[in-house]
C-alpha cells in the first residue's frame, strides 16, 4: 500500500478512556507501524479525561502519537441530553473530519460504530463500518429514544442506509456477520465483505501471572487477597450485565469457601457498592477499585475466576465483551451465561471456566460448587491461551484490519491460491500447508486446499494393496490440475506421482504461476541409493514451475540451476505445540513420535532402548506412531500408542526426552528435522543423530545432544535421564530456538512474499509447456 493512502479513524469513544486505548489506539499504532498507511484519529473526549493532570495527559498522548506519525483531532463529548446531545456530537465529529479533509484527501474512513458511520455518510466519504454492536437495538432495549413507532421506523431506515452505503463491515461476532450477509439490513452483495474481528487484547501483555504488579496493586490489597479464591467482576455496571445474579453466585461460593474474595474493577463504585450493601455482603469479603488499561494485566493476575453473566438481548448477538479475551489471556476462568451463543462456544472451546444454563438458584449453586472446589491449574490456563490466541490476540486483529484496508483501497488484489497436497493427515501436508492457511488468510490471501488422501491415510499399510490405493488417491490431482488456471497461484506440495513430474507439468502448463514445495530427498531411493525415475520426476517438476520451496539446503542444492529457489524449513505452530504447565513425577519417559515409514531409523536405537528398560525400572520408552514397531513389541516398559491428531500435543508433552536417530545416507540428509522441532516446541530436550537438518537445528543451541556415533547417542541419553535439571535447561533453550527461528510466525512473511512475487509473473509457461510435451502431455 502506498504512502498516499490516508485513513481517518473516527470514534465517539475517547482516546483518553480505557476503551479508546485498548480498542482503537493499540490497533492504529500497530497498523501505522507496518508502513504504507497514514492515520489520523478523530475522537470526542470527556471533560473529566481532558482535565486530568490539568490537561498534561492529553498533551502527552498527542505528542506520543505525533512522534509515531499519527494525527489526532479531538473535541468535547456531550454525555447527557438524549438525541439532541447525540446530534451535537455528530456535528462536532463532522466538523473535525471536515478540518482533516481540508488539509488533504481522505482515502478511507474507519467508522467506529453508528455515529462515526453517520458522519462519513453525510460527507460522502468511503467508509469501513466497524459496527461494534447493534446500536439501534441497544437503545431500544434500554427504553431510550425509540419509544414511538415513527421514531423507530425512521431509525431503522437510517440504520439500513448506513449498512447499504458502507464499503465493508467489521463485526465482533460471526453470528452478526451471518445475519448481515443474509439480509438483516437489506440485500447484501456477494462481493461486499463482512469481516469478523473480535475485541482483541495483546496476549503478550496479558500473560499468565501478569507482568508483576510493579507497585500497581497496593500492598493492603495484595495482603487481603493472599491465599484467597479470588472471583473478579470487571467493567461497567450497566443494564447489559446481570450484576445482582453475579453477587448471588459469589455468595454461594463464599458459603462453600469462606476465604473467597470478590475483586471488583469498575469506575462505577457507588452503583456497585449499593448492590453489595443491599445483599448484606461482608465488606471484608470484597474490594472495589478501578484500574487504568495499562494496569489491568496486574490486577487480572490476582484473579482465579471472572464473572461474565450478561443478559440475552437481540443487540447482544453482535457483542463480544473485551473482558473475555482478557480472561483467556490472563488464565482467568470465565463464569459465563448469556450474551450470545458465540461467547458460550468460546468458553466451551477453551475448556476453561463454567457455563450456566440459566440464572436459576439451582444453576447458581451448581456453578458455585464448581468454582469453590477448584484449585489453580496452570495446564488449564495454558490450554485456554493457545486455543483462543489465534482469534483474540491483538496481532491477529491487526493483520485482519490491514488486509481489509488493502482490499478496500484496491492497492493489492486478494490473491487466490490453490494448494494441491498429499492428504489432510499426511505430516508434510499438515505442517507445510494446512497450518499455514489460517495465517495466510489473515494476511488477505484466499486459500483453497485439495488433499488427495482423506482421514484414512494413517490406516493404510505398506503392502501392495496399500500402494495401489495410494496411487489411485494421488491421481485425483491430475484433474485438479486442469482447474489451476482459475487461481492466481497454484501450490504443488510434493509430487503427485513418485515416478513422474507430469501432473506438476500439467498444472504449470495450465497456470505458469506455480510453486513446487518439497521437504524430502525424493530424488533418491528409500535406501538412499540412486533412483533414476525419482530424479527425473523431481527435475521435471522443478523445471516446470516458477518457484521451488525446499525444506533444507541439501534439497535446494539438487534443484536445477536457474530455477528460482527458496529454503524454508518445516515449522511449528508454537501456539499449539507448547510446554505443559507441569511435568508429572514418576519414571523418566523417553519418547519417539513418527510414522511407520521412519521405523528403519528407529531400528538404530532399538537395542539401546531395550537395554535401558531392562537395566532401569525408572525409565519408560513410549513410541507414538501409525503402526507397531515390531523390534520392541511386548518388551516390558515399552509403550506403543497409536498416533491421533487430538492426542498429538498431549503425547509430546508427556515426554521427558525426545529421540531422533537417523541413518547417514542421501535420503536422511534430505530430512527436515521436524521431529526435533516438535519436541523442542514442547520444551522436551532431545538426543539426535548428527545428520542433515538435525545439525542445523541443534548446533550452537545447547537444546539437546547431537550425536555423531551410537556411543555418543547412548551417553547423551543416559546423562539426560540422570539429570532433571539438565532436562529443564535444555528444554527451555529448545523452546526459545523454535520460537525465534522455526515457528510459523518466523516464516509466514516469506511465504507471503513468494506468493505475491509468483502471482506477478507473466509468460512463465514456456518451460512448463516444454516439459509437458516431453512427458507426453
Amino acid at each position: 500500500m502506498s504512502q498516499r493512502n490516508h485513513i481517518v479513524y473516527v470514534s465517539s469513544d475517547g482516546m483518553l478512556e480505557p476503551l479508546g486505548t485498548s480498542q482503537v489506539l493499540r490497533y492504529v499504532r500497530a497498523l501505522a507501524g507496518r508502513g504504507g498507511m497514514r492515520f489520523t484519529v478523530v475522537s470526542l473526549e470527556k471533560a473529566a479525561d481532558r482535565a486530568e493532570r490539568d490537561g498534561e495527559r492529553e498533551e502527552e498522548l498527542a505528542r506520543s502519537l505525533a512522534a509515531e506519525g499519527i494525527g489526532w483531532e479531538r473535541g468535547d463529548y456531550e454525555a447527557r441530553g438524549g438525541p439532541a446531545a447525540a446530534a451535537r456530537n455528530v456535528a462536532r465529529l463532522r466538523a473535525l473530519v471536515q478540518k482533516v479533509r481540508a488539509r488533504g484527501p481522505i482515502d478511507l474512513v474507519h467508522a467506529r460504530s453508528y455515529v462515526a458511520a453517520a458522519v462519513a455518510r453525510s460527507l460522502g466519504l468511503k467508509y469501513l463500518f466497524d459496527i461494534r454492536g447493534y446500536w439501534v437495538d441497544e437503545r431500544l432495549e434500554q427504553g431510550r429514544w425509540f419509544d414511538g413507532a415513527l421514531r423507530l421506523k425512521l431509525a431503522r431506515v437510517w440504520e439500513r442506509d448506513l449498512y447499504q452505503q458502507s464499503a465493508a463491515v467489521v463485526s465482533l461476532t460471526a453470528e452478526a456477520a451471518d445475519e448481515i450477509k443474509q439480509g438483516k439490513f437489506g440485500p447484501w452483495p456477494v462481493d461486499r465483505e463482512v469481516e469478523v474481528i473480535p475485541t482483541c487484547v495483546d496476549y503478550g501483555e496479558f500473560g499468565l501471572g501478569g507482568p508483576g504488579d510493579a507497585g500497581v496493586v497496593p500492598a493492603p490489597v495484595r495482603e487481603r487477597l493472599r491465599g484467597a479464591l479470588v472471583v473478579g467482576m470487571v467493567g461497567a455496571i450497566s443494564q447489559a450485565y446481570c450484576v445482582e445474579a453475579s453477587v448471588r453466585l459469589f455468595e454461594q461460593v463464599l458459603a462453600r469457601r469462606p476465604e473467597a474474595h470478590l475483586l471488583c474493577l469498575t469506575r462505577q463504585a457507588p452503583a456497585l457498592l449499593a448492590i453489595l450493601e443491599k445483599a448484606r455482603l461482608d465488606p471484608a469479603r470484597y474490594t472495589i477499585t478501578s484500574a487504568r488499561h495499562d494496569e489491568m494485566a496486574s490486577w487480572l493476575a490476582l484473579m482465579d475466576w471472572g464473572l461474565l453473566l450478561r443478559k440475552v438481548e437481540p443487540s447482544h448477538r453482535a457483542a463480544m465483551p473485551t473482558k473475555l479475551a482478557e480472561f483467556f489471556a490472563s488464565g482467568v476462568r470465565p463464569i459465563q451465561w448469556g450474551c450470545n451463543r458465540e461467547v458460550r462456544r468460546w468458553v466451551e472451546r477453551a475448556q476453561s471456566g463454567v457455563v450456566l444454563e440459566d440464572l436459576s438458584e439451582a444453576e447458581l449453586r451448581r456453578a458455585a460448587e464448581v468454582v469453590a472446589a477448584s484449585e489453580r491449574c496452570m495446564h488449564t490456563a495454558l490450554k485456554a491461551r493457545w486455543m483462543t490466541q489465534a482469534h483474540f490476540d491483538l496481532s491477529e486483529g491487526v493483520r485482519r484490519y490491514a488486509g481489509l484496508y488493502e482490499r478496500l483501497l484496491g492497492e493489492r488484489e486478494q490473491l487466490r491460491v490453490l494448494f494441491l497436497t498429499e492428504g489432510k493427515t499426511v505430516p508434510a501436508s499438515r505442517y507445510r500447508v494446512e497450518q499455514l492457511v489460517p495465517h495466510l488468510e489473515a494476511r488477505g490471501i484466499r486459500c483453497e486446499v485439495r488433499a488427495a488422501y482423506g482421514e484414512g491415510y494413517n490406516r493404510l499399510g505398506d503392502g501392495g494393496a496399500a500402494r495401489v490405493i495410494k496411487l489411485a488417491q494421488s491421481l485425483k490431482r491430475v484433474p485438479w490440475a486442469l482447474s489451476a488456471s482459475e487461481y492466481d497461484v497454484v501450490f504443488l506440495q510434493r509430487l503427485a506421482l513418485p515416478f513422474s513430474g507430469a501432473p506438476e507439468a500439467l498444472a504449470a502448463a495450465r497456470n505458469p504461476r506455480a510453486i513446487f514445495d518439497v521437504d524430502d530427498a525424493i530424488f533418491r531411493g528409500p535406501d538412499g541409493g540412486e533412483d533414476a525415475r525419482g530424479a527425473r520426476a523431481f527435475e521435471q517438476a522443478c523445471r516446470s514451475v516458477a518457484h521451488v520451496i525446499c525444506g533444507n539446503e541439501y534439497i535446494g542444492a539438487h534443484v536445477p540451476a536457474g530455477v528460482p529457489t527458496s529454503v524454508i524449513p518445516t515449522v511449528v505452530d508454537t501456539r499449539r505445540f507448547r510446554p505443559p504447565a507441569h511435568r508429572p513425577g514418576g519414571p523418566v519417559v523417553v519418547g519417539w513420535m513418527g510414522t511407520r515409514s521412519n521405523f528403519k531409523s528407529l531400528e538404530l536405537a532399538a537395542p539401546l532402548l531395550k537395554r535401558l528398560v531392562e537395566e532401569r525400572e525408572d525409565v519408560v520408552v513410549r513410541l507414538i506412531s501409525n503402526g507397531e514397531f515390531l523390534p520392541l513389541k511386548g518388551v516390558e516398559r515399552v509403550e506403543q500408542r497409536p498416533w491421533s491428531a487430538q492426542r498429538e500435543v498431549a503425547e509430546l508433552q508427556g515426554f521427558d526426552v525426545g529421540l531422533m536417530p537417523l541413518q547417514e545416507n542421501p535420503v536422511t540428509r534430505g530430512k527436515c528435522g521436524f521431529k526435533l522441532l516438535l519436541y523442542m516446541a514442547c520444551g522436551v530436550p532431545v538426543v539426535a543423530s548428527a545428520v542433515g537438518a538435525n545439525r542445523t537445528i541443534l548446533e550452537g543451541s545447547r537444546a539437546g545432544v547431537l550425536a555423531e556415533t551410537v556411543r555418543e547417542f547412548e551417553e547423551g541419553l543416559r546423562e539426560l535421564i540422570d539429570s532433571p535439571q539438565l532436562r529443564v535447561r535444555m528444554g527451555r533453550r529448545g523452546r526459545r530456538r523454535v520460537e525465534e527461528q522455526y515457528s510459523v510466525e518466523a516464516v509466514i512473511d516469506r511465504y507471503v512474499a513468494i506468493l505475491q512475487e509468483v502471482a506477478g509473473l507473466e509468460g512463465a509457461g514456456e518451460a512448463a509447456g516444454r516439459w509437458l510435451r516431453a512427458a507426453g502431455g
Side-chain angles (χ1 to χ4, degrees):
M1 187 178 291
S2 68
Q3 192 61 38
R4 70 177 182 278
N5 286 315
H6 181 200
I7 299 173
V8 177
Y9 197 121
V10 182
S11 172
S12 56
D13 294 313
M15 299 303 102
L16 296 169
E17 292 186 286
L19 187 66
T21 299
S22 65
Q23 295 303 311
V24 177
L25 292 184
R26 287 291 179 90
Y27 288 102
V28 170
R29 283 175 149 150
L31 288 161
R34 294 169 71 97
M37 292 176 276
R38 182 166 61 90
F39 281 88
T40 299
V41 176
V42 174
S43 66
L44 297 181
E45 306 294 327
K46 292 179 179 176
D49 293 327
R50 300 192 76 174
E52 190 173 337
R53 288 191 282 132
D54 294 325
E56 287 185 15
R57 180 166 167 249
E58 180 181 351
E59 291 305 315
E60 287 173 0
L61 179 57
R63 286 193 296 271
S64 173
L65 292 174
E68 298 173 55
I70 301 168
W72 182 27
E73 295 291 341
R74 62 270 192 199
D76 291 321
Y77 176 77
E78 192 170 344
R80 297 179 180 177
R88 289 191 288 271
N89 285 334
V90 170
R92 291 188 184 96
L93 279 175
R94 193 176 191 277
L96 290 170
V97 175
Q98 285 279 55
K99 181 180 176 181
V100 174
R101 186 159 69 169
R103 294 197 294 262
I106 296 172
D107 297 293
L108 180 69
V109 171
H110 185 137
R112 179 181 171 82
S113 194
Y114 284 50
V115 172
V119 169
R121 174 78 176 95
S122 71
L123 293 171
L125 294 168
K126 183 176 182 178
Y127 63 97
L128 166 64
F129 190 6
D130 200 340
I131 66 172
R132 315 311 295 180
Y134 292 153
W135 189 83
V136 173
D137 286 323
E138 288 174 4
R139 275 137 192 84
L140 188 63
E141 291 155 10
Q142 295 164 3
R144 299 166 56 195
W145 299 14
F146 310 126
D147 50 351
L150 179 59
R151 284 187 178 183
L152 180 58
K153 184 176 181 179
L154 292 173
R156 292 299 190 198
V157 171
W158 170 73
E159 179 180 41
R160 179 187 175 108
D161 181 68
L162 291 182
Y163 280 89
Q164 289 294 312
Q165 297 303 319
S166 65
V169 168
V170 170
S171 169
L172 297 175
T173 67
E175 188 172 352
D178 290 341
E179 288 183 343
I180 295 166
K181 287 185 282 190
Q182 291 164 12
K184 180 179 176 67
F185 302 103
W188 199 257
V190 175
D191 59 349
R192 187 180 301 169
E193 295 191 62
V194 184
E195 180 76 66
V196 178
I197 305 177
T199 43
C200 298
V201 302
D202 185 344
Y203 269 54
E205 176 184 355
F206 288 85
L208 299 183
D213 59 49
V216 169
V217 182
V221 176
R222 290 201 306 272
E223 189 59 35
R224 192 181 310 156
L225 300 179
R226 192 183 306 278
L229 176 72
V230 181
V231 178
M233 185 184 293
V234 181
I237 308 304
S238 69
Q239 288 180 242
Y241 288 93
C242 307
V243 182
E244 289 81 2
S246 298
V247 173
R248 294 202 309 275
L249 194 154
F250 176 73
E251 289 179 302
Q252 296 280 357
V253 173
L254 192 59
R256 293 162 175 77
R257 288 279 291 268
E259 77 277 17
H261 196 94
L262 182 64
L263 176 58
C264 309
L265 304 177
T266 180
R267 287 186 165 190
Q268 297 163 296
L272 179 57
L273 183 59
I275 295 171
L276 295 175
E277 288 178 342
K278 183 179 178 181
R280 297 183 179 179
L281 199 63
D282 181 358
R285 304 318 312 160
Y286 63 81
T287 298
I288 304 177
T289 186
S290 63
R292 299 196 312 267
H293 178 76
D294 59 355
E295 300 173 338
M296 193 61 69
S298 295
W299 285 97
L300 288 176
L302 303 172
M303 298 178 187
D304 300 293
W305 292 83
L307 289 159
L308 188 52
L309 310 185
R310 183 161 174 160
K311 295 177 182 177
V312 178
E313 302 281 6
S315 69
H316 294 177
R317 293 196 296 271
M320 183 59 67
T322 307
K323 69 186 72 176
L324 180 65
E326 292 177 345
F327 286 167
F328 285 146
S330 303
V332 178
R333 302 177 69 178
I335 306 169
Q336 188 272 333
W337 179 79
C339 194
N340 57 54
R341 288 172 295 178
E342 200 159 326
V343 172
R344 174 176 180 144
R345 282 196 296 267
W346 274 109
V347 176
E348 291 173 338
R349 188 182 304 179
Q351 300 174 36
S352 170
V354 59
V355 174
L356 283 76
E357 298 300 328
D358 53 49
L359 295 183
S360 66
E361 293 303 317
E363 267 296 275
L364 294 179
R365 285 196 298 272
R366 182 189 68 82
E369 287 170 359
V370 174
V371 174
S374 67
E375 300 294 338
R376 291 200 176 196
C377 177
M378 187 62 70
H379 176 73
T380 299
L382 282 168
K383 184 191 296 183
R385 269 180 66 90
W386 72 253
M387 293 189 77
T388 60
Q389 190 167 1
H391 188 65
F392 288 103
D393 191 7
L394 179 70
S395 62
E396 294 300 320
V398 168
R399 290 187 187 116
R400 293 191 189 112
Y401 275 121
L404 186 54
Y405 287 160
E406 289 168 349
R407 297 192 295 276
L408 289 177
L409 293 168
E411 286 296 312
R412 184 179 298 158
E413 292 286 335
Q414 188 175 24
L415 295 184
R416 296 179 67 234
V417 181
L418 173 64
F419 293 87
L420 300 183
T421 72
E422 282 190 293
K424 291 183 71 65
T425 60
V426 177
S429 303
R430 291 175 62 223
Y431 296 115
R432 292 189 70 83
V433 173
E434 296 280 353
Q435 75 171 351
L436 301 178
V437 165
H439 298 269
L440 293 172
E441 290 182 335
R443 287 161 171 78
I445 296 174
R446 294 171 60 187
C447 304
E448 181 179 335
V449 181
R450 298 184 189 177
Y453 304 129
E455 300 293 338
Y457 173 80
N458 289 312
R459 295 191 293 272
L460 292 173
D462 298 311
R467 286 196 292 272
V468 172
I469 293 172
K470 289 179 180 180
L471 177 61
Q473 294 293 315
S474 295
L475 287 172
K476 291 179 183 177
R477 293 173 65 170
V478 176
W480 289 345
L482 296 175
S483 64
S485 60
E486 301 171 12
Y487 297 84
D488 297 303
V489 178
V490 58
F491 188 104
L492 307 165
Q493 196 268 317
R494 284 191 173 182
L495 288 172
L497 304 173
F499 51 81
S500 173
E504 288 67 39
L506 173 63
R510 299 288 292 180
N511 186 343
R513 298 175 300 279
I515 295 171
F516 179 44
D517 177 78
V518 58
D519 67 329
D520 249 332
I522 57 177
F523 40 81
R524 294 284 186 177
D527 59 355
E530 296 290 336
D531 181 356
R533 288 194 307 174
R536 282 198 302 271
F538 174 73
E539 183 179 3
Q540 183 178 10
C542 290
R543 290 193 183 278
S544 300
V545 300
H547 201 103
V548 177
I549 299 178
C550 304
N552 61 35
E553 296 286 354
Y554 176 77
I555 300 171
H558 286 76
V559 175
V563 178
T565 305
S566 298
V567 174
I568 304 180
T570 307
V571 293
V572 181
D573 183 347
T574 51
R575 294 174 179 175
R576 179 169 177 243
F577 292 90
R578 56 187 311 121
H582 62 276
R583 297 191 186 277
V588 176
V589 178
V590 176
W592 181 90
M593 180 179 285
T595 64
R596 64 168 72 87
S597 62
N598 292 315
F599 280 169
K600 193 73 176 176
S601 290
L602 184 58
E603 288 176 3
L604 292 174
L608 164 62
L609 298 177
K610 187 175 182 180
R611 192 163 61 249
L612 265 177
V613 295
E614 289 173 348
E615 294 175 4
R616 303 187 59 153
E617 294 186 357
D618 62 337
V619 173
V620 167
V621 172
R622 187 172 296 161
L623 310 179
I624 314 297
S625 182
N626 62 343
E628 190 172 30
F629 184 59
L630 296 180
L632 293 180
K633 182 178 180 179
V635 177
E636 188 176 359
R637 290 194 301 284
V638 174
E639 303 172 359
Q640 301 209 39
R641 299 182 180 180
W643 177 90
S644 77
Q646 293 75 25
R647 291 284 306 159
E648 180 178 37
V649 176
E651 295 286 16
L652 287 167
Q653 291 175 336
F655 292 176
D656 292 297
V657 183
L659 303 181
M660 189 171 178
L662 277 182
Q663 296 174 315
E664 171 71 49
N665 63 43
V667 169
T668 56
R669 285 197 291 273
K671 295 289 184 184
C672 294
F674 188 62
K675 200 186 315 292
L676 286 189
L677 298 177
L678 288 181
Y679 298 152
M680 292 160 67
C682 293
V684 177
V686 296
V687 182
S689 301
V691 177
N694 287 7
R695 286 186 181 276
T696 306
I697 293 168
L698 281 180
E699 280 182 342
S701 70
R702 296 184 298 158
V705 176
L706 196 58
E708 297 281 356
T709 64
V710 174
R711 181 176 179 179
E712 287 182 5
F713 198 98
E714 179 171 356
E715 290 174 350
L717 177 56
R718 288 185 181 275
E719 184 180 13
L720 281 169
I721 290 171
D722 291 333
S723 176
Q725 295 82 8
L726 181 61
R727 295 200 299 268
V728 169
R729 289 197 302 271
M730 285 189 167
R732 287 175 178 167
R733 293 174 191 141
R735 170 70 185 183
R736 187 162 57 247
R737 190 168 184 94
V738 171
E739 287 178 332
E740 293 172 353
Q741 298 183 33
Y742 296 98
S743 65
V744 174
E745 289 77 9
V747 304
I748 195 66
D749 288 335
R750 295 178 63 192
Y751 277 102
V752 171
I754 293 169
L755 290 170
Q756 290 173 344
E757 181 181 349
V758 170
L761 295 178
E762 297 293 341
E766 184 178 344
R770 183 171 65 252
W771 278 94
L772 181 63
R773 289 190 295 274

